[in-house]
Amino acid sequence: MLSHMSVDENIEVRLSVPKRLMVYGSVLLGLMLLISNAGAQEMAFQLDAEQSRVQFTLGATFHEVHGSFQFKGGAIHFNPASGEASGSLIVDATSGQTGNERRDRRMHRQILEDQKYPEIVFSPQHVSGTLAPQGTSQMELQGLLSLHGEQHPMTFTVPVQVNQAQGSVEVHFILPYEKWGMKNPSTFVLRVSDKVTIDVHAVGRLSGPSAAHGPSGT
């Protein structure tokens, strides 16, 4: 077939092959960069402090002590592709209350010493697991918990519920407060556990490439 082509036509065919390869290569490279950039886009969880809470339960000789703390605010930023995370969630240590003024004064002055350490801060470092655009996901969150002037590495298994662009998480863990350097309030008569059970309910707004906009996608 080539024998019937002119010299100019033959040269044009030979030149068109690498030209098409260059075009296809450029398109493929562009698609790869687009996918890479999409995976690198950051997501964020902006805490709604008014809807969120921290509750605690402390075992004692005759009864359990129940109390709560309020959030100040905060946000978590994370990369779904790499798992890298940053930001902070801040609890107001001075807001702690159990419903008993005398007990609360002792908690603030002698145990939390919140005149010196007014905030409890969780700083995330890594997130693993896949966040579903809607419904429930199981994630793992690693980071540092700053409490009473010390930082402690923590890993939480976190159920995440997504409803449109709002996310909520529930965290349950045991905090060994006495081991971490805080005073045990036990007396000769009243014996108190050296650990406290913590339950966190955090609600916030999700934003980023995977944040859902509703069932219809609008």
Side-chain angles (χ1 to χ4, degrees):
M1 179 178 177
L2 289 177
S3 59
H4 298 290
M5 292 184 179
S6 67
V7 175
D8 290 341
E9 288 174 332
N10 197 5
I11 293 174
E12 186 177 349
V13 168
R14 280 191 247 170
L15 287 175
S16 66
V17 173
K19 192 172 182 180
R20 285 198 298 270
L21 289 176
M22 288 177 64
V23 172
Y24 295 153
S26 298
V27 172
L28 182 60
L29 180 61
L31 287 173
M32 290 175 65
L33 288 173
L34 183 62
I35 295 170
S36 175
N37 288 336
Q41 287 181 13
E42 186 178 79
M43 291 194 68
F45 173 78
Q46 183 68 47
L47 183 75
D48 184 337
E50 292 187 0
Q51 294 191 60
S52 304
R53 62 184 180 274
V54 178
Q55 296 178 310
F56 65 89
T57 303
L58 180 64
T61 305
F62 304 110
H63 65 286
E64 290 183 334
V65 176
H66 299 273
S68 63
F69 290 92
Q70 297 174 358
F71 274 100
K72 280 188 171 182
I76 292 177
H77 303 271
F78 63 98
N79 185 312
S82 68
E84 293 182 2
S86 62
S88 62
L89 299 178
I90 306 169
V91 174
D92 183 0
T94 67
S95 69
Q97 60 85 26
T98 66
N100 182 303
E101 290 185 9
R102 182 178 178 183
R103 183 169 57 209
D104 291 348
R105 283 197 300 270
R106 188 179 183 194
M107 174 178 68
H108 290 295
R109 293 176 182 175
Q110 299 180 21
I111 301 171
L112 292 173
E113 298 184 275
D114 52 37
Q115 67 277 13
K116 290 192 294 184
Y117 313 111
E119 294 180 343
I120 303 168
V121 181
F122 178 70
S123 303
Q125 296 176 319
H126 191 269
V127 175
S128 58
T130 302
L131 182 63
Q134 288 287 297
T136 303
S137 307
Q138 195 84 347
M139 309 288 286
E140 187 175 89
L141 185 59
Q142 298 175 343
L144 296 174
L145 181 64
S146 299
L147 174 64
H148 200 253
E150 299 289 339
Q151 286 190 327
H152 306 274
M154 302 290 289
T155 299
F156 303 115
T157 299
V158 183
V160 182
Q161 182 70 34
V162 178
N163 181 13
Q164 297 189 17
Q166 178 173 282
S168 62
V169 301
E170 306 288 339
V171 184
H172 174 87
F173 65 101
I174 306 298
L175 194 154
Y177 71 94
E178 185 177 0
K179 183 180 178 180
W180 286 5
M182 286 173 281
K183 184 178 179 179
N184 188 314
S186 295
T187 64
F188 179 74
V189 177
L190 179 66
R191 304 305 298 173
V192 175
S193 174
D194 62 350
K195 300 177 180 66
V196 61
T197 301
I198 306 294
D199 288 285
V200 179
H201 174 70
V203 177
R205 182 170 182 80
L206 285 168
S207 61
S210 299
H213 299 289
S216 64
T218 58

